[in-house]
Amino acid sequence: MNPFPFKSVLTLLLSGTLAMGSAHLAFADDDDDDDERGREKSGWFDSRETLAPVVNATYSEECGACHMAYQPGLLPPQAWAQIMTPDALANHYGDDASLSEALRTEISAFLGANATDVAQQMAPSGASNAGAASGSLPRITESTDFKREHDEIPARLVTGNPEVGSFSQCNACHRKAAEGNYDERWIDIPGHGPWKD
Ligand code: HEC
Ligand code: HEC
């Protein structure tokens, strides 16, 4: 019998095991970094990271008509689920955003799959509970993290500013909001300009 095939299988197995070993080590290093970041920052709002941009055409079209199509990562999955029920869509923050069942199912699945993951989730008093407590729909702009980042901005630049209207219009001030980039470098408040604190 030719031992060669057996030997190559062994070699394959062995190199596979080694590769897995180093992959594991690499993951272990990443985990350490994540842990450190997790200790320093309370969540995405403080992480200064770019959010994954929206890549679902149906979502962009249906949910980007009245305001920007918010990145799914801005809310936890249970908040999106609350927003996406047929009743909630029919009474959508004072508007009617009803969808066909097919579109509702497709968009719900996209939002659920790309929502804030548990590890990155905002503080418990954040977006997920903000709506539940007041009996209304959850809001990104009601979360503790959001409020902390925006509490120094005077109302005249927001609700009193016809080119902004409300904090829900992220892209009025964050020039790269559509790309998921909320870095302070790209803030330009209409009628005010860049933000210096
Ligand atoms: C017919 C217009 C319209 C459509 C379509 C629409 N919305 Fe809205 N949405 C609104 C209005 C109005 C508000 C409240 C904005 C404000 O308070 O200034 C809002 C607010 C929101 C908020 C809360 C923003 C905040 O203040 O934190 C979320 C989240 C949201 N919409 C998600 C969606 C999703 C998901 C879809 C698609 C299923 C959608 N919207 C489609 C009109 C719309
Ligand atoms: C009226 C203009 C305005 C609107 C509307 C607005 N923001 Fe901001 N945002 C700011 C300003 C100004 C800061 C910087 C605040 C500071 O440094 O004190 C900021 C800071 C942030 C930060 C922190 C950035 C960093 O690098 O630390 C995030 C994240 C953010 N905003 C997300 C959002 C999201 C999401 C929305 C929409 C739901 C939104 N903002 C709507 C003006 C705005």
Side-chain angles (χ1 to χ4, degrees):
M1 225 176 92
N2 183 356
F4 186 68
F6 179 64
K7 193 174 161 239
S8 21
V9 168
L10 242 188
T11 313
L12 265 177
L13 274 177
L14 195 64
S15 53
T17 312
L18 283 175
M20 273 167 69
S22 42
H24 178 77
L25 278 178
F27 282 133
D29 284 342
D30 287 351
D31 284 351
D32 287 350
D33 290 343
D34 283 344
D35 284 353
E36 268 165 40
R37 252 186 282 147
R39 269 195 297 275
E40 288 165 12
K41 324 268 189 181
S42 70
W44 172 78
F45 264 95
D46 286 329
S47 71
R48 267 136 235 240
E49 276 166 32
T50 301
L51 276 180
V54 173
V55 290
N56 184 289
T58 310
Y59 175 68
S60 302
E61 192 168 323
E62 301 296 333
C63 303
C66 306
H67 45 66
M68 67 172 265
Y70 303 115
Q71 284 80 23
L74 287 168
L75 284 174
Q78 63 271 28
W80 288 122
Q82 258 180 283
I83 291 165
M84 291 302 294
T85 65
D87 282 351
L89 286 171
N91 300 289
H92 182 82
Y93 309 89
D95 241 317
D96 185 348
S98 298
L99 293 170
S100 71
E101 198 50 25
L103 288 173
R104 195 182 69 83
T105 310
E106 181 185 345
I107 293 170
S108 298
F110 167 72
L111 288 171
N114 295 280
T116 327
D117 67 35
V118 180
Q120 277 197 306
Q121 212 162 99
M122 297 176 192
S125 52
S128 52
N129 294 345
S134 62
S136 53
L137 291 177
R139 279 181 182 263
I140 303 153
T141 52
E142 291 285 314
S143 74
T144 317
D145 291 322
F146 184 94
K147 288 181 172 166
R148 194 181 48 235
E149 291 288 353
H150 297 86
D151 62 358
E152 285 169 25
I153 307 165
R156 69 181 164 81
L157 294 179
V158 192
T159 44
N161 188 340
E163 289 178 74
V164 180
S166 84
F167 273 126
S168 308
Q169 307 298 331
C170 320
N171 51 332
C173 304
H174 293 276
R175 292 303 152 117
K176 296 203 173 200
E179 296 162 41
N181 185 344
Y182 294 91
D183 192 286
E184 281 177 41
R185 259 176 304 174
W186 302 107
I187 295 173
D188 183 7
I189 306 179
H192 175 84
W195 186 258
K196 296 173 184 73
D197 50 0

